[in-house]
Amino acid sequence: KLWQVTKQHIDREEENVQAAAALLKKREVVAFPTETVYGLGADATNEQAVKRIFEAKGRPSDNPLIVHVAKKEQIEQLVTHISDQAHALIDAFTPGPLTVIMPSNGVCARNVTAGLDSVGVRVPDHPVAKALLEASDLPLAAPSANRSGKPSPTTAAHVYDDLNGRVAGILDGGATGVGVESTVVDCTGEVPVILRPGGVTKEALEAVVGTVKLDASLHDKKEPPRAPGMKYTHYAPDAPLWLIDGDVVFFQAQIDRLREEGRRVGVIASEETSAHLRANRVQTCGSQHDLHQVAVHLYDALRSFDQDEIDIILAETFASEGIGVAIMNRLSKAASKTVQPSE
Ligand code: TXA
Ligand code: MG
């Protein structure tokens, strides 16, 4: 069942939120919009309900889920301790696209944390998510509402494509605002560590708590990631994707070579680059000078090729700074290889 609940008309659509909340109380799973991507929610305190999330997504059970609460004051109900650094980050970026990993007090069901003694908590900054959390009066475990391995959903239509028939409902709040997932920061040690780059940049975190580290796996492919989810193939469209790390002349040469082999080539690139490229289909995802727009459109661009007769997708690389770190992290995970000009 697909419900329309626009951000602007949340009051008028109140009954849809109430119906979704009632399903959650009955241990069903419901998809809902957040400011980052759509989440697939279930009662985080109930193991049976949480199990349905893993089943609907086809998600490996060793990959822990993020828990969402309506207000930052509710975080303390789920953890044994909030460190000074965690407090400062929560105060600065909550509600918003930040997930903070803290020691779990066991209130969440065991399968939420996949057996870890820590739990990741976040307060989404979206009126529909907030209304649903308040109406259900539950902490909601919610991973991104995609089939495992696919790009995260940024519209209700993406959720429908992946999960129709596998969930009790979808609340439609329109397209999400940030486009990439929350930044996951581990605050259980001395220095906060970014396990997954996302909507809040490293620079912004450091302005609040001083030094913040990047998990070693984010710059060294040989290091095992500390966020279990980061080890799986992710964000992948149906066709293989290659990253093209060169100028437009090099990019066009790669397209031409593949088309001469008879392959239908799709391209994901900025406005600046795509203006110079000819391929079977060119999908533009914003300007190189506004990476926030690229983040907003990235997953929709990746998914857009699934409807097309495209054999291979070539994507541009973006500057690894600010939100670009999250964009490049997702593109690298979606890609099977990077093509560079030889010396
Ligand atoms: O923006 C978001 O964070 C979205 C929306 C729906 O809130 N949610 C989301 O959840 O992206 P998910 O489950 O797709 O990604 C959660 C990531 C995974 O990489 C997981 O391994 C990591 O966070 N994670 C969760 N709990 C953890 C924990 N206790 N320790 C280490 N990593 C954890
Ligand atoms: Mg996900």
Side-chain angles (χ1 to χ4, degrees):
K1 182 159 160 203
L2 199 68
W3 293 303
Q4 301 286 336
V5 181
T6 65
K7 283 192 200 181
Q8 291 76 21
H9 299 106
I10 185 87
D11 289 341
R12 214 177 60 201
E13 310 288 353
E14 177 66 31
E15 67 265 36
N16 291 337
V17 174
Q18 293 298 339
L23 288 170
L24 290 167
K25 285 183 185 163
K26 284 195 276 180
R27 299 170 184 182
E28 299 280 354
V29 291
V30 174
F32 61 95
T34 80
E35 79 279 28
T36 57
V37 300
Y38 275 72
L40 183 60
D43 177 356
T45 65
N46 185 274
E47 192 163 343
Q48 211 44 45
V50 170
K51 192 165 167 240
R52 290 196 163 143
I53 294 179
F54 285 95
E55 287 168 356
K57 281 188 58 109
R59 182 173 175 117
S61 61
D62 67 346
N63 190 3
L65 309 176
I66 292 172
V67 181
H68 299 64
V69 293
K71 293 197 185 75
K72 59 177 112 182
E73 291 72 29
Q74 296 170 312
I75 294 174
E76 63 185 38
Q77 296 164 14
L78 305 175
V79 301
T80 58
H81 175 67
I82 304 180
S83 70
D84 290 346
Q85 288 164 328
H87 236 131
L89 292 176
I90 290 164
D91 271 344
F93 301 107
T94 287
L98 181 73
T99 297
V100 181
I101 310 275
M102 289 166 284
S104 167
N105 68 2
V107 164
C108 290
R110 275 197 349 253
N111 50 353
V112 169
T113 57
L116 298 174
D117 48 20
S118 61
V119 63
V121 188
R122 97 175 187 92
V123 184
D125 187 15
H126 191 290
V128 177
K130 187 163 188 275
L132 183 64
L133 285 161
E134 281 172 352
S136 67
D137 199 23
L138 293 167
L140 295 179
S144 49
N146 50 285
R147 286 303 294 264
S148 212
K150 301 291 293 175
S152 296
T154 53
T155 67
H158 295 164
V159 180
Y160 185 84
D161 287 344
D162 276 18
L163 297 176
N164 179 32
R166 310 179 72 91
V167 299
I170 302 169
L171 280 176
D172 182 351
T176 60
V178 178
V180 292
E181 299 86 342
S182 63
T183 302
V184 178
V185 183
D186 185 350
C187 284
T188 60
E190 294 268 299
V191 179
V193 183
I194 296 175
L195 304 186
R196 179 180 71 181
V200 180
T201 64
K202 181 169 187 275
E203 295 85 339
L205 297 173
E206 288 188 323
V208 174
V209 288
T211 306
V212 172
K213 285 197 213 153
L214 272 182
D215 187 40
S217 70
L218 294 171
H219 38 78
D220 183 350
K221 294 267 170 294
K222 290 191 287 283
E223 287 291 325
R226 274 169 54 200
M230 299 296 280
K231 70 174 182 269
Y232 295 104
T233 314
H234 251 87
Y235 315 111
D238 292 343
L241 182 141
W242 294 355
L243 278 173
I244 306 300
D245 191 12
D247 61 15
V248 286
V249 176
F250 179 75
F251 203 137
Q252 187 64 55
Q254 305 314 305
I255 298 170
D256 294 344
R257 189 174 57 78
L258 288 160
R259 291 184 76 181
E260 275 157 28
E261 290 172 6
R263 296 215 256 179
R264 286 155 306 187
V265 179
V267 165
I268 298 180
S270 64
E271 289 158 11
E272 291 83 359
T273 302
S274 58
H276 299 283
L277 298 178
R278 295 286 170 271
N280 295 79
R281 193 156 76 77
V282 178
Q283 179 73 43
T284 305
C285 61
S287 166
Q288 283 167 352
H289 307 295
D290 184 1
L291 293 185
H292 287 280
Q293 281 308 309
V294 175
V296 169
H297 299 297
L298 182 66
Y299 292 147
D300 187 57
L302 285 170
R303 280 176 178 264
S304 71
F305 293 100
D306 290 354
Q307 267 84 53
D308 260 19
E309 308 259 290
I310 289 292
D311 301 312
I312 184 158
I313 304 164
L314 304 186
E316 177 177 354
T317 58
F318 294 88
S320 264
E321 55 191 41
I323 192 90
V325 177
I327 293 168
M328 284 311 297
N329 171 264
R330 307 308 191 265
L331 276 175
S332 308
K333 290 194 167 292
S336 55
K337 74 172 181 178
T338 300
V339 188
Q340 286 168 318
S342 46
E343 299 304 316

